[in-house]
Amino acid sequence: MKALDAVAWLGASVLALVEYIGELGIFAVSGVSHVFRPPWYPRQLGRAFLEIGYFSLPVVALTALFTGMVLALQSYTGFSRFGAESAIASVVVLSVTRELGPVLAGLMVSGRAGAAIAAELGTMRVTDQIDALSTLSTEPMKYLVAPRLLAATIALPLLVVLADILGVMGGYLVGVYKLGFSSGGYLNSTFTNLQTQDVVSGLIKAAVFGFIIALMGCFNGYRSRGGAQGVGAATTAAVVSASILILALDYVLTQVLFVK
Amino acid sequence: MSNPKIRIRGLKKHFGPKKVLDGIDLDVEVGTGMVVIGGSGTGKSVLLKSILGLVTPDAGSIEIDGVDVLKAPAREARALRQQIGMLFQNGALFDSLPVWENVTFGLLAQKKLSRAKARDMAVEILAQVGLGADVAGLSPADLSGGMQKRVGLARAIAARPAIMFFDEPTTGLDPIMGAVIDELIVDCVKRLGSTSVAITHDMASAQRIADKAAMLFEGKITWTGPAGELLTTSDPVVDQFTHGRAHGPIQMALRK
Ligand SMILES: Nc1ncnc2c1ncn2[C@@H]1O[C@H](COP(=O)(O)OP(=O)(O)OP(=O)(O)O)[C@@H](O)[C@H]1O
Ligand SMILES: [Mg+2]
C-alpha cells in the first residue's frame, strides 16, 4: 500500500511538473508575441525600464564593486603561493565579465525587481484589476507582461556593462592600493587578456537572465490566487524559480558560448 | 420582447468539486434593468464574469445580440463584449494610475479621447457620480471605500456602454449616497438606452434600479418577476431572502 502511494505521488508530481512547464511555455510564447504586435504601451515600457533597470543600479553597482575587490584579495592569497600574482588582474576581469557580472546582477535583480513584478501583478490579479483591464479594451498580456519582458531583457545587459566596469574597478582598487601593483601594470594586464567575446557572451547571458526574471515574475504574479497569502507565495516562487533557472542556464550558456 | 440583449441557456460552471452555476437560464431584454439577487457565494459574480469572458463556463450558451459569444470567433466575441461596462464588486481600480486615468482608461484605450483632453473629461464624469475635481489627481489608495466604488462606477459608464453590469453598486455607501448612485444608474440606463444587470443585497435599491428581478439559488435561477414584486411574491425562497428571515428553504438547503 505504501509503495503504491509513493508511485501515485510520484506520478502526480510528474504530471504537475509537466503541466507547469506547459503553462509556462504557453505564457512565454504569448508574452513574447505581444512584444511584437501593436498596440504598444511606451509608458508602461518606460515605467518597467525604470523599475527593473534604473532602480537596480545601486544594488548591482555595490555587488560588483565588492565582488571585484574580494576576488583580487582571494586570488592574491592563492596565487602568491606559486608566484603567479601577475595573473590577478586577468582573473578578476575574466571572472567578472564572463561569469560573476551576469550571474550576480541576475540574482540581485531577481530579488529586487522579479519580486516586485510578482507582487504587483499578483495584487492586480487578486483585486480583479487584471480582469478590469480586459473589460476596458486592453489585453492584459500586452499591457502588463510584454513591456516587462522587453524592459528586463534590455536592462540586464546594460546593468552588466556597469557591473563589469565596477568589478574591474574593485579589483584595481585592491590591487593598486592594497597589494602594491602599479596602476599602469594592473590596467595593462587587465586588458591584454580580455577578448571581445568574453564581454559579449556575458551580455548575452545577461539578456537571457533578464528575460527569465521578468517571465517568472509575471507568470507567478499573473496566476496567483487567494488574497495576500497567495501574492506572498507568488513572490517567493518568482524569486526562487528565477534564481534556480539563472544558475542552471548559466551552466548551459557557458557550455554553448565558451566551450568549443 | 422576442430579441433579448443577453440570452443565457444552461450555463454551468464548477470550481473543483463545487458546482457554482448549475444550469442558468436568463433573458435580459433590450433597455431594461435586471437585478440578480442571491446569497453570498451563490455565484452572482461568477455569472457576470462568465458573460464578460473572464471565467470560462463548462457548458451552456451566452448570446449577446443573438450571437453565442462562447462559440463565436474570438474577434467577434470581443467586439460584442466590448459593449459591456463593468463595475467590479471591490472597485478594482488600477492603483498605479491616478483617478482621472482610471476613469478615462477605456476611452484612451479605444482612442476615443486624447490624453490632453482626458483629465477634463474625467472631471466631468466624476461630477456625475458626485465627486469633485480635487479627487481626479489622487491615487485610488487615498480614497475611502465608498469613493472608490464611485470612481469604479465612473470608469464603467465613461464609454457610455450599451450594456452595464453593476456588482453591488451601493454596498459600502451611506444611504444617501446609495440613493444618489441608484438614481445615477437609472439615469444612465434611461438616457443611453442601455441594458443593465445589477447584483445587490439591498431590496430598496433593487426596486429603484431594476424593472425585473431574478433569484439565484443553488446554481439556478429559481424565480424571475417584476422587481416590484420582490417583497410581495409568494415564492418561498425569494420571500425568505428579501425579508431576511432566519428560517425557511435557504437555511434548510445550507444544512443539507
Ligand atoms: N476563480 C475561482 N476559483 C475558485 N473558486 C471560485 C473562483 N471564483 C469564484 N469561486 C467560488 O465560486 C463561488 C461563487 O463566488 P461568487 O464570487 O460568484 O459569489 P457571489 O454570489 O458573488 O457572492 P457575494 O454576494 O459574496 O459577492 C464561491 O464559492 C467562490 O469561492
Ligand atoms: Mg460577488
Side-chain angles (χ1 to χ4, degrees), chain A residues 39-41 43-44 47 120 123-139 143, chain B residues 49 52 54 82 84 86 88-97 101-102 105-106 109-111 115 155:
Chain A
W40 289 290
Y41 296 98
R43 244 162 234 285
Q44 287 293 102
R47 209 189 124 216
E120 185 176 358
T123 306
M124 292 188 74
R125 166 60 75 198
V126 302
T127 57
D128 287 339
Q129 292 179 52
I130 294 186
D131 282 348
L133 277 177
S134 29
T135 68
L136 294 166
S137 320
T138 304
E139 164 59 52
Y143 184 79
Chain B
K49 287 183 180 180
L52 284 164
L54 302 172
Q82 221 173 58
I84 308 175
M86 168 82 175
F88 284 85
Q89 187 166 357
N90 58 13
L93 299 180
F94 305 126
D95 40 31
S96 61
L97 300 175
E101 271 198 80
N102 265 282
F105 195 93
Q110 292 178 26
K111 305 242 184 309
R115 279 189 77 80
R155 185 176 72 180

Side-chain angles (χ1 to χ4, degrees), chain A residues 69-107:
Chain A
M69 287 167 68
V70 87
L71 213 52
L73 213 51
Q74 286 281 25
S75 35
Y76 180 78
T77 317
F79 287 7
S80 62
R81 290 183 191 156
F82 37 92
E85 294 95 331
S86 58
I88 290 174
S90 306
V91 167
V92 170
V93 72
L94 291 182
S95 315
V96 167
T97 53
R98 292 165 59 134
E99 185 60 37
L100 294 173
V103 170
L104 291 178
L107 294 177

Side-chain angles (χ1 to χ4, degrees), chain B residues 124-147:
Chain B
E124 235 170 77
I125 303 168
L126 285 169
Q128 292 178 23
V129 297
L131 291 171
D134 50 322
V135 172
L138 297 179
S139 153
D142 298 335
L143 304 179
S144 75
M147 290 163 92

Side-chain angles (χ1 to χ4, degrees), chain A residues 153-179:
Chain A
T153 309
I154 298 171
L156 248 273
L158 296 178
L159 285 169
V160 166
V161 169
L162 175 83
D164 288 352
I165 294 169
L166 281 167
V168 168
M169 211 166 92
Y172 173 89
L173 290 178
V174 170
V176 172
Y177 294 102
K178 187 160 167 49
L179 306 176

